[in-house]
Amino acid sequence: MFKTFHKGGVHPPENKLSAGRPVEPFPVPATVAILLSQHMGAPAKAIVEKGAAVKTGQLIAKGEGFLSGNIHSSVTGKVSRIEAVTDASGYKRQAVFIEAVADEWFDDINTDTLLDKEIKLNAAEIINKINESGIVGLGGATFPSHVKLSVPRGKKADFLIVNGVECEPYLTADHALMLEKPGEIMVGIEILKKALGVTQAHIGIEANKPDAIALMQKFASEYTGVKVHPLKVKYPQGGEKQLIKAITGREVPSGGLPVDVGVVAFNVGTVFAVYEAVQKNKPLIERVVTVTGKNIKNPANFRVRLGTPVAGLIEAAGGLSENTGKIIMGGPMMGKALAIADIPVVKGTSGILLLQDDEASRNKPQPCVRCGKCVAVCPMGLEPYLLMPLSQKNEFDRLESEHIMDCMECGSCSYICPSARPLLDFVRSGKNNVGKIIRSRKKQ
Amino acid sequence: MSKILTVSPSPHISSDLSVPKLMYGVVLSLIPAFIVTVYMFGLGALVITAVSVVSCVLAEMIIQRYIMDAPVRIRDGSAIVTGILLAFNLPSNLPWWMVVIGAVFAIGVGKMTYGGLGNNPFNPALVGRVFLLISFPVQMTSWPLPGASRFHYLDATTGATPLGFLKEALRNGQTVPEVMNQIPDHMQLFLGQMGGSMGEISALALILGFAWMLYKKIITWHIPVIMVGTIFAFTGILYLIDPTRNASPLFHILTGGVMLGAIYMATDLVTSPMTKKGMILYAAGIGVITVVIRKFGAYPEGVSFAILIMNAFVPLINKYIKPKRFGEEVKNG
Ligand code: SF4
Ligand code: SF4
């Protein structure tokens, strides 16, 4: 039996069409639009102006808020404009546009691919380097990594957990990365262990990637205190709290953080970015993106410079077919549907998924038949059938006491409902409202 | 790009589960029990099932279209399920017009007065059955003998159910061991060679249906297992106390519709609790009430009443029995 979390979960068809495709370097585009907001927290502040010449890897915006991160140029060229562009959420946000001319790397960034195992920096230097390099969680939450590594006073980390689960159907970016860069990921783990002052690291990988499990196991055997855990294939196994539960049996308390139970977790993509930042001095300017869908001719895993337009990726994978109904940034369970394909890749972009018309349409909602399936699948132990009408009726106090804020927006409830009720839509809006109330209460 | 893309919030995919799929899954799972009942009761079983299903579906359609002025949803399959289950709770020689009355009452009062599927607090088929039991007590308790009159419908040879026989005999001062010699043995009960409601007789056929529903994830094991287990345990204690006055636990779970009730009536999605914990409480409650009615009540069986009584508690159970929240009770070691 593989380890897993114990409460709820669903098993959507995996559809890993791009599994087994190597990571292909995607050509540097002629123009990139680098969003200033690619992390949680406040947007970074641009430090370059129109007309400035920048090199690949050069700092172009400083993260100033608590949960924000630095942003670097992903190409070499000239800043053509700084203006708003539509992002994945459909809102206009500031971006630095750069016309690429060449690919000259800034300063002393090391672009060779030799595996560099020796860790020279101490813990504080590592954290600082990660901060400077603009590394945020690449799993999609885009939480700044240096913040996670700065364990608050009075708390202690016992383990590092590495998330190689990739439980979203269709996505294979992390899988491909593990197959291609196992040595680098191991060194990244050692770096993070050093930064956290822990001796144990656990890597969780869903059992549907046996090649990645075997390879990581082989590489892990060269190190002490690094263990690979094959996990049951169940969505959302890659949810941070679910992963921690599966591997350690510990339950992150409601409203708490992993470090409250002595754990800090990073996605494998983030671990690789840490390796590159610390060992090669390379800031986060590119990432692996899966481009996939049943109508995509050549499903692929691309290594893409940030700011590359999504439309270009789709073109390279075989183009948009007639009956494409939806373009999703991310996976089908938690990704965002895009209104247009002219959206730049950001740090949190794990995949681009094209759904056909028939896959994209939702069924008409019917009355709730009280089957309890939404309750059974909710990994957080909530009651979506109840939260939906409470949210419709604006009963915020009840929503709060029913723990609506614990919802991780995994979508399992909407996915399973036989009456096609849009449960998460309403839970989300309820969460927004209750969140506002909680924040305003804190301010008083 | 000329084409308009769909923009809707996540999740962007959904399971292929649907209400019709669940309902037709239940219908399929009832096939073994249906075969046994037709084998044992012949013509009557066919007539009653057909009349019940057709009346339920028509009643639902007419009420939705002409009375509630609502969209007609008979295709969801729920009226068919109610029709079959109502039939399975009736003796196979009930006059057809009584079946029609029961069906109209089940759908009209049991389901539609509350607003239709999903809103009804009581299992509609049981509402129909209990209404018939109260209105036509004689016809509702005359039981054709299995295999005795396959080609007769109204004039089938009748006899008592094992439970009814036992209750009557105990009242007349006989002891359990004396009675047991006069009724079918446990194996016959298990296979369905006894008088009773059409669908309740064969535990084997019902368990096959249960296995299928578990496999198809239509229901979970909780309600049937806990309900049967509670009845077994409770009657087992009584049996140990005085085996001359109390039948064996095995006899209890094989007779009087325990299996039919546990697998099909108590598990009705709409009228059973939402959480696993709630289901366990509810099922245990049904088990206890069933035994209390059998032991002390006027009716020999008790499953139908027990389920309806516990149906009434379901809103309360849903209100107070919450699922275990993730991260609520922290046991970290
Ligand atoms: S309520 Fe939230 S956490 Fe629970 S299943 Fe729905 S989306 Fe997931
Ligand atoms: S899954 Fe859908 S139909 Fe079932 S209880 Fe939840 S909301 Fe109601």
Side-chain angles (χ1 to χ4, degrees):
Chain A
M1 268 304 273
F2 296 113
K3 287 187 174 182
T4 187
F5 57 101
H6 299 290
K7 171 125 214 7
V10 293
H11 188 185
E14 292 163 35
N15 283 319
K16 304 272 193 183
L17 311 170
S18 49
R21 304 285 169 117
V23 181
E24 284 172 63
F26 192 79
V28 178
T31 309
V32 290
I34 301 180
L35 279 164
L36 293 176
S37 179
Q38 305 195 34
H39 41 254
M40 279 187 160
K45 229 173 126 200
I47 57 164
V48 290
E49 278 173 6
K50 187 175 161 181
V54 292
K55 286 186 181 169
T56 309
Q58 184 177 338
L59 185 69
I60 57 169
K62 277 184 88 65
E64 294 189 319
F66 171 55
L67 291 178
S68 82
N70 286 344
I71 300 209
H72 303 77
S73 176
S74 59
V75 297
T76 302
K78 204 176 232 160
V79 176
S80 59
R81 56 204 157 106
I82 300 178
E83 63 180 39
V85 58
T86 308
D87 77 352
S89 62
Y91 289 103
K92 294 261 184 198
R93 298 200 206 269
Q94 287 299 113
V96 176
F97 285 77
I98 302 169
E99 308 293 332
V101 290
D103 197 24
E104 213 178 296
W105 290 65
F106 184 69
D107 245 20
D108 49 357
I109 298 174
N110 184 350
T111 54
D112 71 38
T113 51
L114 297 176
L115 181 62
D116 186 356
K117 285 192 178 177
E118 195 196 336
I119 303 163
K120 298 192 193 83
L121 305 187
N122 66 28
E125 287 165 340
I126 291 171
I127 296 175
N128 190 35
K129 189 85 209 168
I130 289 171
N131 184 6
E132 277 175 12
S133 307
I135 297 176
V136 299
L138 299 191
T142 64
F143 192 88
S145 299
H146 66 276
V147 180
K148 266 194 184 175
L149 288 170
S150 316
V151 176
R153 201 168 296 186
K155 296 195 173 137
K156 198 178 134 316
D158 309 323
F159 307 113
L160 167 69
I161 285 193
V162 177
N163 190 343
V165 172
E166 201 158 51
C167 59
E168 272 271 11
Y170 289 96
L171 300 189
T172 57
D174 290 347
H175 185 183
L177 187 68
M178 286 189 282
L179 293 182
E180 190 165 291
K181 303 284 184 192
E184 285 79 358
I185 292 170
M186 287 301 151
V187 177
I189 289 172
E190 291 303 304
I191 294 168
L192 288 167
K193 275 162 72 180
K194 191 167 176 186
L196 284 168
V198 301
T199 57
Q200 303 291 316
H202 299 280
I203 309 170
I205 306 173
E206 262 190 335
N208 58 3
K209 306 168 191 60
D211 48 355
I213 292 170
L215 194 65
M216 295 300 271
Q217 246 152 6
K218 187 168 145 244
F219 278 77
S221 64
E222 290 174 29
Y223 295 85
T224 48
V226 182
K227 197 165 177 247
V228 177
H229 299 260
L231 301 173
K232 190 168 170 189
V233 183
K234 185 163 90 170
Y235 177 88
Q237 183 63 75
E240 199 171 54
K241 293 182 177 182
Q242 277 62 40
L243 179 64
I244 292 168
K245 172 83 182 175
I247 292 181
T248 68
R250 300 180 183 190
E251 240 174 64
V252 178
S254 167
L257 291 172
V259 72
D260 294 336
V261 294
V263 178
V264 177
F266 287 96
N267 167 270
V268 277
T270 318
V271 176
F272 178 68
V274 163
Y275 164 84
E276 289 204 309
V278 175
Q279 303 298 78
K280 304 280 179 177
N281 209 19
K282 187 176 154 191
L284 181 58
I285 57 158
E286 57 183 9
R287 66 157 299 146
V288 182
V289 179
T290 299
V291 184
T292 184
K294 291 189 182 133
N295 273 358
I296 280 275
K297 276 201 208 78
N298 309 302
N301 299 302
F302 291 125
R303 173 169 296 106
V304 184
R305 299 286 168 97
L306 301 180
T308 302
V310 165
L313 298 182
I314 296 172
E315 216 44 61
L320 213 53
S321 66
E322 268 298 298
N323 65 345
T324 301
K326 224 182 209 183
I327 302 178
I328 295 161
M329 190 180 264
M333 294 299 287
M334 291 182 86
K336 283 207 167 84
L338 304 180
I340 53 170
D342 273 324
I343 282 184
V345 167
V346 291
K347 293 177 181 177
T349 306
S350 46
I352 301 297
L353 166 64
L354 268 61
L355 291 183
Q356 299 159 349
D357 283 322
D358 53 339
E359 285 179 286
S361 62
R362 286 183 168 196
N363 290 332
K364 215 171 130 247
Q366 305 287 338
C368 170
V369 293
R370 311 183 65 75
C371 67
K373 296 205 185 280
C374 54
V375 180
V377 300
C378 178
M380 299 312 291
L382 307 179
E383 295 164 284
Y385 81 91
L386 175 69
L387 297 177
M388 176 166 162
L390 288 176
S391 180
Q392 283 170 311
K393 286 183 267 172
N394 290 339
E395 299 212 20
F396 302 132
D397 292 345
R398 266 301 291 289
L399 286 171
E400 193 181 349
S401 63
E402 297 288 353
H403 295 80
I404 193 170
M405 296 312 285
D406 280 354
C407 169
M408 62 190 285
E409 305 191 19
C410 69
S412 301
C413 48
S414 298
Y415 174 82
I416 205 75
C417 177
S419 288
R421 297 177 69 68
L423 296 160
L424 176 54
D425 295 6
F426 287 93
V427 172
R428 212 182 254 130
S429 78
K431 249 184 97 175
N432 273 335
N433 289 319
V434 173
K436 272 185 213 144
I437 293 168
I438 293 174
R439 279 192 297 278
S440 72
R441 199 160 54 209
K442 274 192 191 141
K443 270 187 210 128
Q444 280 163 13
Chain B
M1 202 169 30
S2 54
K3 192 167 158 168
I4 307 288
L5 295 168
T6 313
V7 180
S8 57
S10 64
H12 305 288
I13 50 173
S14 55
S15 66
D16 54 5
L17 206 63
S18 65
V19 174
K21 217 170 155 176
L22 288 173
M23 294 297 167
Y24 292 115
V26 176
V27 172
L28 282 181
S29 77
L30 284 161
I31 288 175
F34 185 65
I35 291 173
V36 172
T37 197
V38 171
Y39 177 74
M40 293 295 178
F41 300 124
L43 188 64
L46 288 171
V47 173
I48 302 263
T49 311
V51 171
S52 178
V53 170
V54 170
S55 320
C56 280
V57 173
L58 282 180
E60 177 148 320
M61 193 183 84
I62 291 167
I63 292 170
Q64 280 173 338
R65 174 165 307 158
Y66 299 106
I67 301 180
M68 291 173 48
D69 207 8
V72 175
R73 293 195 203 279
I74 49 169
R75 268 192 236 159
D76 65 21
S78 62
I80 299 176
V81 171
T82 300
I84 300 176
L85 290 178
L86 174 64
F88 275 24
N89 275 284
L90 303 175
S92 65
N93 61 344
L94 198 70
W96 66 268
W97 55 270
M98 288 187 192
V99 180
V100 174
I101 291 176
V104 170
F105 196 84
I107 295 290
V109 178
K111 190 169 170 189
M112 290 305 160
T113 51
Y114 298 100
L117 183 65
N119 298 313
N120 48 303
F122 299 103
N123 183 321
L126 285 183
V127 170
R129 172 181 195 261
V130 167
F131 178 71
L132 289 176
L133 188 61
I134 295 166
S135 315
F136 310 106
V138 178
Q139 291 87 339
M140 280 292 287
T141 50
S142 98
W143 308 98
L145 289 173
S149 26
R150 290 194 177 101
F151 301 103
H152 302 264
Y153 161 36
L154 290 176
D155 55 350
T157 323
T158 59
T161 67
L163 259 188
F165 190 80
L166 175 70
K167 186 137 200 156
E168 196 52 41
L170 289 177
R171 231 177 247 148
N172 297 334
Q174 283 184 278
T175 65
V176 170
E178 287 165 17
V179 180
M180 283 299 148
N181 293 328
Q182 305 162 44
I183 55 182
D185 64 26
H186 286 167
M187 196 55 188
Q188 288 171 310
L189 297 179
F190 181 70
L191 295 175
Q193 283 161 313
M194 63 172 155
S197 298
M198 284 168 45
E200 77 183 27
I201 54 175
S202 171
L204 175 65
L206 294 165
I207 290 169
L208 283 178
F210 178 46
W212 159 263
M213 288 200 291
L214 284 184
Y215 171 68
K216 286 281 167 187
K217 298 207 166 84
I218 296 169
I219 57 171
T220 60
W221 58 269
H222 301 77
I223 292 173
V225 170
I226 299 290
M227 176 178 151
V228 173
T230 306
I231 293 175
F232 192 89
F234 194 178
T235 54
I237 293 168
L238 293 174
Y239 181 69
L240 287 179
I241 294 172
D242 184 358
T244 62
R245 304 283 314 152
N246 300 295
S248 75
L250 202 55
F251 175 84
H252 272 287
I253 63 170
L254 292 175
T255 57
V258 170
M259 290 293 170
L260 179 68
I263 296 169
Y264 286 101
M265 315 308 291
T267 54
D268 174 27
L269 300 177
V270 180
T271 58
S272 62
M274 290 283 191
T275 64
K276 306 260 153 75
K277 272 189 279 179
M279 288 178 188
I280 290 171
L281 182 67
Y282 161 85
I286 295 173
V288 169
I289 297 171
T290 301
V291 180
V292 169
I293 294 176
R294 284 189 178 185
K295 178 82 185 138
F296 308 106
Y299 286 98
E301 55 116 70
V303 175
S304 304
F305 287 110
I307 293 173
L308 287 173
I309 290 168
M310 286 310 290
N311 279 167
F313 285 100
V314 165
L316 216 59
I317 293 176
N318 282 337
K319 186 155 179 214
Y320 290 104
I321 309 278
K322 295 291 178 183
K324 188 185 169 301
R325 313 284 194 201
F326 187 99
E328 180 184 42
E329 211 180 283
V330 187
K331 286 177 278 158
N332 294 314

